[in-house]
Amino acid sequence: MAYLSQYQYYENAGTAPTDKNWGSYQYVGLEDIVNNFQLMYSGNHSLVNNEERFKILFHAKRGIQELNYDAFMEIKALELTVYDNLTFVLPSDYVNWIRISLYKDGWLRPLNENIQVNSAQSYLQGAGGTLTFNADGTVITNTSTLDTERKNGQQNSIYLNQNNAVDQVEDDNASDFYSDYSIGARYGLNTETANVNPTFRIDKKAGVINFDSTMLNENCILEYISDGMEGGDDSQVSVNKLFEDYVYAYIEYAILNSKFNVQEYIINRARKRKTALLRNAKIRLSNIHPGRLLMNLRGQNKWIK
Amino acid sequence: MTSFFLLIFVKKKAMINAVRNTILAILNKNNYGYISPSDFNLFAKQAQLDIFDEYFIAYNNQINKENGRVSGTGYADIKKGYEEVIDTFSVTSSLSQSAGNQYIVPTPATTGSDYYLLNKLLIYSSITSSGVTTAIGGGNTNLIDNTATFQTDGVSAGDVVSVVLSNPVVANLTVVSVTNQTTLVVNFASLTTTSVPYTIYKKVNLKNEAEQVTHSKITMLTKSMLTAPNITFPAYTQEGGILTLHPDSISAIGRVVCQYIRYPKDPKWTYVSLTGGEPIFSQSQSDYQDFELPPDDVNNLVARILQYAGMSIREIATVQFGQSIEQQENQEQ
């Protein structure tokens, strides 16, 4: 990709959307990665030779996916309101979650993952517990009691929120009922469940986040990571430039490692190069610089009274 | 170093005559016989194809030598010489569309020549505008489509207009100016009829190279989320004379541009009349065609034609003489 003029960068040369190129200089596109690799690391005199482009593309994408999982720190956030079904459908590019929060009254309140199951599949049962089947032999399913009662607000919670069985205070708005009772007085508070916020549990197979009924009509913010594949639009897949060399090294290593008759020392060299470049890139991306450290270290001489 | 007398009379513009004279001189010297112009043309064609084919093998051998670090640079860069010769047969041309995402391989009827090797297929990453002409004008330089929105689409001077003026040849015109939303001026007065389908591309968008994949791979490739061909990384398969482009959305006139290595044209030694029973060479005949190989291949051509001629006249000494010249050439390489 060619360098952009400042007019193209700031205003996309006058075409909408004008913010399209903002920040784009941080990244190098997948197209460039594959092209540069073929140009510089593949050929008659290179370690990698006579490899189909789709193999290079595959390894490039795999490398970028791995970086997205644990190195890029590029967290996406999606806000949705939770309605009657108490579910939040996972985004189309969701791979894993970082944090799920309730946004209410100007505060972002991180939610706890419920350690108890809160949704289940149910089979339709006849008298005596017999199951019923469709003509094709599949069992007929039904909405589970667990789901029904959770959605109706009848499911008790072990967390110290409004669904807790001990919470009987009618005008309890702030869910601070536990201070009115002797919860935890004898054996101490179970800190794992000591949270007033709604709880959730992710049903990965169903692709939804199931909340308890206290989340009804509330704004939920999901912070998550993707794999960087941009919904299959290869022209939009990109890598932070700090990781550019690592991606080349990753592709080279991946190809050499799976190729017959490549000497082990060459594979090892490629592996070490890849690992070292990843380490370097992570350090660079972590932005450890004196100004930031200084702010933290200023607290070390604080007098604890 | 080329040997003895062969190159003395060789001129590039009529290499074929020099080769023929040499052949006849060798054959007549020992009273081995005579070959007619038609026989000579047949042998010349065969010899040229042999040598042309060997260029690719020699090129590969040279790369192997480079990998073995037994090759030099600068004037010692033999590979560069081979590349130059092969590139003289390079052609870049838009492929004719057969149907949908299927395009016809280069042929004399579509691109003007048969292909020896499809080197690369480039795909325009996007279409700027397309439609069918509804009128003619401007001395046949106006492309008029009453339903078009050229200005809105961003068509500008320098863009490429692909049209099929004479089926199945794809012609590429250049936009000279955009008159209004429905009219363009192109650089060549060729739009003599209406209802001509056209597609307009930006030159900068000719950047995505389609990768050739085998039939055994393409199914798996398209099933894979990570490797499924798309406009950014397209692919193609070949079946007979048809190239099938993936993804299917690659299906517009002129969207596929091929750079290929064509076969050398058939050499033809032409003459005007017989003088004393001998045909007199004339390179002004319409079907005249010189060798397309470089002059330093004269020795090779002579050697190979001698072998074919020797076989023809059943003279083993001629064949052996041709073989000895060829061996000498090979050793020098």
Side-chain angles (χ1 to χ4, degrees):
Chain A
M1 186 179 148
Y3 285 98
L4 299 176
S5 70
Q6 294 207 309
Y7 180 50
Q8 286 172 319
Y9 177 78
Y10 284 110
E11 303 198 2
N12 195 21
T15 53
T18 53
D19 60 354
K20 182 186 171 191
N21 296 320
W22 293 358
S24 61
Y25 199 67
Q26 300 167 84
Y27 299 97
V28 56
L30 176 67
E31 214 175 334
D32 279 347
I33 293 272
V34 173
N35 188 56
N36 293 344
F37 185 86
Q38 287 185 300
L39 207 57
M40 297 299 165
Y41 297 93
S42 170
N44 292 324
H45 312 298
S46 304
L47 289 174
V48 176
N49 192 18
N50 292 338
E51 284 296 341
E52 290 98 341
R53 188 184 63 191
F54 63 78
K55 285 189 182 176
I56 295 170
L57 178 65
F58 171 80
H59 291 303
K61 286 187 173 178
R62 283 294 303 118
I64 293 170
Q65 284 180 323
E66 291 296 328
L67 289 174
N68 271 277
Y69 299 149
D70 66 358
F72 276 168
M73 298 191 291
E74 293 197 3
I75 298 165
K76 296 187 170 189
L78 176 66
E79 179 189 303
L80 287 177
T81 303
V82 177
Y83 286 104
D84 294 349
N85 56 4
L86 296 178
T87 58
F88 183 119
V89 179
L90 296 174
S92 58
D93 56 348
Y94 170 91
V95 171
N96 202 3
W97 64 283
I98 304 293
R99 186 165 46 197
I100 298 172
S101 310
L102 160 67
Y103 186 69
K104 190 174 184 181
D105 303 329
W107 291 97
L108 205 55
R109 296 155 66 173
L111 304 186
N112 273 2
E113 187 175 17
N114 199 328
I115 58 173
Q116 294 185 316
V117 67
N118 67 357
S119 179
Q121 197 180 24
S122 173
Y123 293 154
L124 187 65
Q125 290 176 294
T130 54
L131 302 178
T132 49
F133 299 90
N134 283 318
D136 63 356
T138 55
V139 69
I140 297 174
T141 57
N142 199 7
T143 307
S144 67
T145 312
L146 184 65
D147 274 311
T148 307
E149 295 197 348
R150 175 173 60 85
K151 290 172 185 174
N152 292 340
Q154 295 167 304
Q155 186 187 15
N156 286 326
S157 173
I158 59 170
Y159 291 83
L160 300 182
N161 59 22
Q162 291 169 42
N163 284 341
N164 192 290
V166 187
D167 181 18
Q168 300 299 326
V169 183
E170 292 296 327
D171 59 349
D172 178 13
N173 194 32
S175 297
D176 57 354
F177 58 91
Y178 53 85
S179 58
D180 302 331
Y181 296 87
S182 54
I183 296 170
R186 184 178 295 266
Y187 302 109
L189 199 63
N190 180 6
T191 53
E192 190 179 6
T193 58
N195 193 294
V196 296
N197 291 326
T199 59
F200 70 91
R201 195 169 170 87
I202 297 178
D203 188 341
K204 291 178 185 170
K205 280 288 177 191
V208 294
I209 305 169
N210 291 314
F211 293 97
D212 66 36
S213 59
T214 60
M215 196 62 184
L216 182 64
N217 295 325
E218 302 288 3
N219 284 330
C220 173
I221 294 177
L222 168 66
E223 291 167 81
Y224 68 101
I225 54 167
S226 181
D227 63 352
M229 291 296 105
E230 304 296 338
D233 185 354
D234 283 356
S235 64
Q236 297 301 312
V237 177
S238 59
V239 179
N240 191 299
K241 280 178 178 168
L242 300 177
F243 288 92
E244 185 179 354
D245 232 16
Y246 165 75
V247 178
Y248 298 139
Y250 177 90
I251 300 168
E252 189 175 57
Y253 165 72
I255 289 173
L256 292 173
N257 192 39
S258 59
K259 206 169 186 174
F260 175 70
N261 226 3
V262 179
Q263 295 92 331
E264 199 59 32
Y265 73 91
I266 289 179
I267 297 172
N268 272 332
R269 193 170 76 198
R271 183 178 53 76
K272 285 176 185 170
R273 181 166 169 265
K274 168 190 78 101
T275 311
L277 284 168
L278 178 62
R279 196 163 45 238
N280 284 352
K282 279 184 171 177
I283 292 169
R284 283 179 185 167
L285 197 71
S286 65
N287 273 342
I288 300 172
H289 49 79
R292 188 174 287 187
L293 278 176
L294 193 63
M295 291 298 286
N296 295 332
L297 293 173
R298 274 179 180 152
Q300 70 181 342
N301 295 327
K302 193 166 57 182
W303 283 20
I304 309 294
K305 293 179 182 175
Chain B
M1 184 67 69
T2 51
S3 57
F4 55 103
F5 56 87
L6 291 175
L7 283 181
I8 296 172
F9 303 105
V10 171
K11 284 183 182 175
K12 175 63 181 163
K13 64 178 182 179
M15 202 166 92
I16 192 168
N17 195 39
V19 170
R20 184 172 182 272
N21 288 340
T22 308
I23 296 288
L24 291 181
I26 294 169
L27 290 177
N28 289 337
K29 182 184 173 190
N30 299 314
N31 294 321
Y32 286 144
Y34 173 81
I35 58 170
S36 66
S38 60
D39 281 352
F40 172 78
N41 288 336
L42 287 174
F43 301 152
K45 175 187 175 183
Q46 194 61 41
Q48 182 172 244
L49 280 176
D50 286 348
I51 296 168
F52 175 73
D53 198 39
E54 281 176 4
Y55 263 103
F56 294 87
I57 297 162
Y59 180 64
N60 186 47
N61 290 338
Q62 195 58 35
I63 286 170
N64 290 336
K65 283 183 182 176
E66 283 190 6
N67 285 336
R69 301 190 72 82
V70 288
S71 176
T73 57
Y75 292 126
D77 193 348
I78 308 295
K79 186 184 78 174
K80 190 180 172 193
Y82 290 141
E83 285 172 347
E84 284 172 0
V85 174
I86 292 171
D87 282 345
T88 58
F89 297 96
S90 172
V91 178
T92 300
S93 183
S94 296
L95 294 185
S96 298
Q97 194 178 8
S98 170
N101 61 332
Q102 295 184 327
Y103 290 78
I104 303 168
V105 296
T107 61
T110 55
T111 59
S113 51
D114 274 322
Y115 74 97
Y116 175 83
L117 177 79
L118 294 177
N119 193 40
K120 63 178 178 183
L121 250 64
L122 291 173
I123 313 294
Y124 281 103
S125 60
S126 64
I127 295 171
T128 306
S129 186
S130 64
V132 178
T133 60
T134 54
I136 56 173
N140 298 328
T141 60
N142 281 0
L143 190 154
I144 304 167
D145 178 0
N146 291 334
T147 61
T149 52
F150 293 133
Q151 289 167 325
T152 310
D153 293 343
V155 178
S156 57
D159 288 353
V160 177
V161 183
S162 292
V163 288
V164 177
L165 300 171
S166 169
N167 198 35
V169 180
V170 176
N172 288 323
L173 311 172
T174 304
V175 176
V176 175
S177 61
V178 181
T179 310
N180 52 43
Q181 286 281 26
T182 60
T183 305
L184 295 176
V185 180
V186 295
N187 66 328
F188 190 62
S190 52
L191 299 167
T192 55
T193 57
T194 59
S195 302
V196 176
Y198 66 89
T199 314
I200 301 175
Y201 306 98
K202 297 276 179 200
K203 280 182 182 172
V204 292
N205 290 334
L206 186 61
K207 58 182 181 179
N208 295 346
E209 187 174 343
E211 180 183 28
Q212 185 186 24
V213 290
T214 60
H215 289 278
S216 58
K217 292 278 186 195
I218 189 66
T219 313
M220 292 180 280
L221 209 60
T222 49
K223 278 169 68 177
S224 163
M225 279 179 77
L226 292 181
T227 62
N230 52 43
I231 286 294
T232 312
F233 297 105
Y236 73 93
T237 54
Q238 184 171 359
E239 197 159 19
I242 296 293
L243 306 176
T244 304
L245 273 295
H246 301 269
D248 296 350
S249 57
I250 301 171
S251 61
I253 299 166
R255 191 158 190 186
V256 181
V257 176
C258 179
Q259 185 261 322
Y260 64 97
I261 304 299
R262 66 171 172 82
Y263 277 104
K265 292 172 186 165
D266 294 350
K268 190 154 192 183
W269 186 87
T270 49
Y271 58 96
V272 280
S273 60
L274 295 173
T275 305
E278 283 294 317
I280 304 300
F281 174 62
S282 167
Q283 63 185 85
S284 56
Q285 300 300 304
S286 60
D287 55 346
Y288 166 76
Q289 178 60 54
D290 201 355
F291 288 112
E292 292 195 288
L293 294 172
D296 62 347
D297 275 319
V298 165
N299 281 3
N300 259 334
L301 285 167
V302 169
R304 284 179 186 275
I305 294 170
L306 273 179
Q307 288 176 55
Y308 288 122
M311 290 299 291
S312 173
I313 61 178
R314 298 185 182 181
E315 182 51 67
I316 192 67
T318 309
V319 177
Q320 287 169 347
F321 181 61
Q323 285 172 339
S324 68
I325 298 175
E326 195 181 336
Q327 281 168 6
Q328 189 183 348
E329 283 288 313
N330 289 340
Q331 283 167 5
E332 284 170 1
Q333 287 175 7

